[in-house]
Amino acid sequence: MIYIVIGIGIALLVFVSVLWKLAVKGQTPKRVINVQKPAQYYEEVSFQSGDAVVHGWYIPAKASDDEPKPLIIVVHGWASAKSRVMRYVDPLHQAGYSLLLFDARGHGDSEGIKAPTIKSFRDDVKAAVRYAQRREDVAPGRIGLLGHSFGGMGSLLASRDKIGIKALVTDSMPARFRTIMEALLREYKMPYAPLGPLLTRMMFMRAGISSTELREELSLPAALEHRKSPVLLVHSRKDRYIPSEELDYLMRGLKNRREDVECLYVDTDGHRSSEKDSRFWKNVLSFYQKYV
C-alpha cells in the first residue's frame, strides 16, 4: 500500500510540475522584433507602466498647424508588437489623426514582467492614455483606442474607468478566458479538458490575481456593461483562432444596449485581416469621426 501511495504522490508532483511549466511558457510571450518601421515621420517614445518602461512610436498628424490633434492609440495583441498593428496606421493617419503605437510589457521593445496577463495589458493601456494626455500636441479630450485581440480586451477593461478616452474600437477580441486557453492549447495540440481550467488558475496565481479580482474587475461582459465611452466591436465570421461567437456572447449578455454600443461582422479570412473588408474602414472612420 505504501508504494501505491508514494507512486500516486510522485505522479501528482510530476503532473503539477508539467502544468506549472506549461503555465510559465504560456505567460512568456515570444518577443517580436520590430524590424518594420512606420513609413510616416515618427518619434521613439517611452513611458512608465508599473515598474517597467514601455516603448512606443508616436506618429504626429499630417496637419501643419500647431493646434493639438486628435489621437488614436493602437494596442497590439498577445505575443505581438507595435509593428504588427501598422496595418491600421495609413487610413487613420490619412483621416487626420495622430497615432500612438506601443509594445505592452513583456512584448517587443518594452521591459518585461514576471507574468503578463490581461490585467497588465489593461494597465499598459491606462499608462499610454496618461502619457498621451501629457503631450502638448495631443488634444486631451479627443483620444480614441483601437485594440486588436488581447489588446482589445485590455482596452475594454481600461475603458471601464474614466480614463479620458472618447471612443473604443475592438477588433477580433476574445470575450472569455476559456476561449483564450482553448486557442493556446490548440497550438500545443492538447485538449482543453482537463488541463484548461487548471492552467488558467495557475496563470492567475502566478500573476497574483484573485478570484474576486477576476470576477469583479476583469470580466469582459461587466466591462462592456459599465464602459465609460462608446464602443464599436468588430469581428470576422471567418476567424478560426478567436471565433466570432465571442462577439455574439458579449452582445447576448448586454443588459443595457444603447446607441453607443455598435457591432460589425466582416468576412475576411484569419485573425488579423478584418481591415481588408471594405466595411471595416467605412464604419471605423465614421465611428471615430462621430465621437473623437
Side-chain angles (χ1 to χ4, degrees):
M1 176 65 73
I2 186 66
Y3 295 111
I4 294 175
V5 172
I6 292 173
I8 292 173
I10 292 173
L12 284 174
L13 284 173
V14 171
F15 179 67
V16 172
S17 176
V18 169
L19 278 181
W20 189 259
K21 289 179 180 178
L22 279 173
V24 172
K25 185 175 181 180
Q27 284 183 295
T28 309
K30 184 178 179 180
R31 291 270 185 172
V32 173
I33 300 174
N34 290 301
V35 175
Q36 186 182 5
K37 307 293 184 181
Q40 299 82 2
Y41 169 80
Y42 70 96
E43 301 173 21
E44 297 271 1
V45 300
S46 62
F47 51 89
Q48 196 78 20
S49 182
D51 295 329
V53 176
V54 170
H55 293 278
W57 295 326
Y58 173 74
I59 305 172
K62 294 191 300 180
S64 57
D65 60 81
D66 294 329
E67 290 296 316
K69 302 298 186 299
L71 172 79
I72 305 299
I73 300 173
V74 183
V75 190
H76 66 75
W78 183 262
S80 188
K82 56 185 181 286
S83 58
R84 290 271 183 90
V85 287
M86 287 201 300
R87 61 185 181 275
Y88 301 118
V89 168
D90 282 348
L92 291 169
H93 197 246
Q94 291 290 335
Y97 297 100
S98 296
L99 293 145
L100 174 62
L101 289 70
F102 68 91
D103 294 320
R105 284 175 290 173
H107 293 71
D109 302 321
S110 293
E111 293 182 351
I113 55 176
K114 176 185 175 182
T117 62
I118 192 59
K119 181 180 178 179
S120 65
F121 264 71
R122 178 200 69 184
D123 293 345
D124 291 347
V125 171
K126 290 183 176 182
V129 173
R130 289 194 297 269
Y131 165 78
Q133 290 170 333
R134 294 194 299 267
R135 290 191 64 106
E136 293 183 356
D137 53 355
V138 171
R142 300 183 65 190
I143 297 175
L145 290 172
L146 195 167
H148 174 256
S149 193
F150 211 78
M153 294 180 76
S155 298
L156 181 56
L157 289 173
S159 74
R160 183 172 178 168
D161 299 325
K162 290 183 178 180
I163 59 173
I165 64 164
K166 291 298 183 181
L168 163 64
V169 174
T170 70
D171 180 10
S172 309
M173 181 184 70
R176 292 168 282 195
F177 295 114
R178 172 173 180 149
T179 304
I180 298 171
M181 185 56 65
E182 286 175 338
L184 175 65
L185 289 172
R186 277 200 304 271
E187 292 185 359
Y188 298 149
K189 294 181 171 56
M190 301 175 73
Y192 177 77
L195 300 177
L198 294 172
L199 274 174
T200 302
R201 176 53 53 196
M202 282 187 171
M203 287 180 174
F204 288 132
M205 285 175 55
R206 290 189 72 242
I209 297 174
S210 67
S211 297
T212 301
E213 188 176 15
L214 187 63
R215 182 176 61 255
E216 296 182 357
E217 296 184 28
L218 302 178
S219 162
L220 268 293
L224 182 60
E225 197 73 53
H226 301 290
R227 69 206 173 276
K228 297 299 187 296
S229 61
V231 60
L232 169 61
L233 308 161
V234 184
H235 216 116
S236 175
R237 293 188 179 91
K238 296 181 180 180
D239 188 339
R240 300 292 179 259
Y241 186 71
I242 300 295
S244 62
E245 283 77 16
E246 292 297 277
L247 179 48
D248 300 339
Y249 165 78
L250 277 177
M251 298 310 294
R252 281 197 309 269
L254 187 60
K255 299 175 184 177
N256 184 20
R257 179 74 182 270
R258 302 197 307 261
E259 291 183 358
D260 65 350
V261 178
E262 302 177 26
C263 62
L264 171 67
Y265 292 90
V266 296
D267 294 291
T268 52
D269 291 321
H271 184 55
R272 299 178 177 86
S273 59
S274 297
E275 79 288 348
K276 294 179 181 178
D277 190 304
S278 61
R279 292 169 293 175
F280 180 90
W281 286 116
K282 178 182 178 180
N283 283 270
V284 168
L285 293 176
S286 175
F287 180 76
Y288 282 141
Q289 185 178 24
K290 181 177 180 181
Y291 292 110
V292 178

